[in-house]
């Protein structure tokens, strides 16, 4: 989907901060969606600029024609892809980081355990250590600085008429309008899903292999006893567990090396 942007001067400057930006900076993401509380993957990690609210992937059909932002996590904090954020606001001088082969910027100011005493380049708002030539560690820090020094964001906001989710957002529509689960996904203890069967698939394969080995051992022992037993004596049944114990037992008593 194409994104149309225009010069910052075309932004309506009657309000210092637009409503969608206020909601974006104050919203709490990655909480469970109350509407889909029992569903898997119900974390609210998508923000709708038109509705000024966050929602989970199961709520996507209600916002599919709106301007959407995908919120990501990096070192336990909310981040935006730099390409997406740059369509809405001037992100120059905000330090970017690389995660999953994509550049991201922090959305909100991160708390610090103690006051930074770094003598080099620091954030103009929170004094966090930065690399040159960056001036801010997050979008929130830059917005606070602009409002404090210029009193307006008009020269930094961009007009975006359409904004869609990236291709790797994983949103697929089923014929009934729902979001199907990925094929072969299994739930883990943290609520996330894995592909390829995970530990459950490995356990199943191990049990299957053990069953095949057990059957093979039993058939070999049965054929051996039937061949050696006299014709007037019937073949004795072989007990599976006992035969396994006898097969795994050492042939001779182990001898320890002498101690010198």
């Amino acid at each position: 989907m194409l994104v149309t942007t225009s010069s910052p001067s075309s932004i309506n400057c009657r309000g210092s901060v637009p409503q969608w930006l206020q909601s974006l900076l104050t919203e709490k993401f990655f909480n469970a969606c109350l509407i889909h509380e029992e569903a898997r993957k119900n974390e609210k990690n998508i923000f709708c600029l038109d509705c000024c609210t966050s929602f989970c992937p199961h709520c996507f059909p209600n916002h599919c024609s709106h301007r959407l932002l995908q919120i990501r996590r990096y070192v336990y904090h909310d981040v935006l892809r730099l390409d997406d954020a740059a369509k809405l606001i001037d992100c120059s001088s905000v330090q970017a980081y690389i995660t999953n082969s994509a550049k991201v910027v922090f959305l909100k100011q991160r708390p610090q355990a103690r006051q930074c005493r770094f003598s080099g380049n620091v954030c103009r708002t929170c004094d966090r250590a930065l690399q040159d030539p960056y001036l801010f560690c997050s979008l929130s820090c830059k917005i606070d600085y602009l409002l404090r020094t210029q009193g307006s964001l008009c020269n930094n906001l961009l007009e975006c008429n359409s904004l869609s989710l990236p291709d790797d957002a994983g949103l697929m529509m089923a014929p009934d309008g729902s979001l199907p689960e990925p094929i072969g996904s299994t739930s883990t203890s943290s609520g996330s899903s894995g592909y390829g069967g995970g530990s459950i698939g490995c356990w199943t394969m191990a049990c299957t292999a053990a069953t095949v080995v057990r059957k093979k051992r039993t058939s070999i022992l049965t054929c051996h006893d039937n061949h050696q037993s006299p014709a007037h004596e019937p073949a004795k049944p072989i007990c599976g567990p006992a035969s396994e114990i006898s097969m795994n037992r050492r042939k001779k008593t182990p001898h320890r090396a002498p101690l010198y």
Side-chain angles (χ1 to χ4, degrees):
M1 183 178 294
L2 297 177
V3 177
T4 11
T5 57
S6 61
S7 60
S9 58
S10 63
I11 299 293
N12 190 345
C13 297
R14 288 181 296 179
S16 57
V17 181
Q19 180 62 38
W20 65 265
L21 185 56
Q22 295 181 16
S23 302
L24 179 63
L25 296 176
T26 56
E27 188 76 12
K28 292 184 178 180
F29 298 98
F30 294 95
N31 291 332
C33 177
L34 298 180
I35 301 177
H36 304 94
E37 188 173 2
E38 302 298 329
R40 295 172 53 192
K41 298 182 180 180
N42 62 347
E43 293 180 334
K44 297 192 293 182
N45 62 341
I46 305 174
F47 182 79
C48 180
L49 277 72
D50 296 325
C51 302
C52 298
T53 185
S54 61
F55 59 91
C56 75
H58 300 279
C59 302
F60 174 73
N62 298 328
H63 305 268
C64 57
S65 60
H66 297 173
R67 296 174 298 168
L68 304 177
L69 269 178
Q70 184 182 17
I71 313 299
R72 301 165 183 258
R73 294 286 279 179
Y74 179 64
V75 291
Y76 304 103
H77 292 281
D78 300 335
V79 295
L80 294 174
R81 290 186 61 177
L82 181 59
D83 293 341
D84 296 337
K87 298 171 184 177
L88 300 170
I89 188 171
D90 180 17
C91 296
S92 60
S93 67
V94 179
Q95 181 164 327
Y97 301 84
I98 297 180
T99 174
N100 296 330
S101 303
K103 289 186 177 181
V104 297
V105 290
F106 284 99
L107 178 59
K108 303 174 184 178
Q109 177 180 334
R110 291 167 288 164
Q112 300 186 71
R114 55 185 177 179
Q115 190 69 19
C116 178
R117 297 181 180 179
F118 184 68
S119 58
N121 187 29
V122 295
C123 178
R124 297 296 185 267
T125 300
C126 66
D127 296 331
R128 179 179 291 273
L130 298 175
Q131 299 177 356
D132 293 327
Y134 299 107
L135 303 178
F136 307 99
C137 66
S138 66
L139 287 176
S140 176
C141 288
K142 180 174 183 177
I143 292 171
D144 290 344
Y145 178 82
L146 293 176
L147 291 176
R148 186 172 66 251
T149 57
Q150 301 179 11
S152 175
L153 300 176
C154 296
N155 295 328
N156 293 270
L157 294 177
L158 301 174
E159 185 177 1
C160 179
N161 297 324
S162 60
L163 183 64
S164 60
L165 295 176
D167 295 335
D168 58 352
L171 298 177
M172 296 183 298
M173 297 296 298
D176 57 353
S178 61
L179 291 172
E181 294 293 341
I183 299 176
S185 63
T186 55
S187 178
T188 61
S189 58
S190 61
S192 61
S193 63
Y195 295 90
S199 59
I200 298 178
C202 295
W203 175 255
T204 305
M205 292 176 62
C207 293
T208 305
T211 304
V212 172
V213 172
R214 187 180 299 112
K215 289 182 178 180
K216 186 178 295 185
R217 288 178 177 176
T218 305
S219 60
I220 292 175
L221 291 175
T222 305
C223 294
H224 180 71
D225 290 347
N226 290 339
H227 179 72
Q228 292 184 351
S229 60
H232 62 275
E233 292 184 4
K236 297 180 180 180
I238 302 298
C239 180
S243 63
E244 289 182 17
I245 295 175
S246 62
M247 289 290 292
N248 295 330
R249 186 176 299 169
R250 292 177 181 269
K251 293 183 179 180
K252 298 181 180 180
T253 305
H255 297 280
R256 296 183 179 276
L259 301 176
Y260 296 100

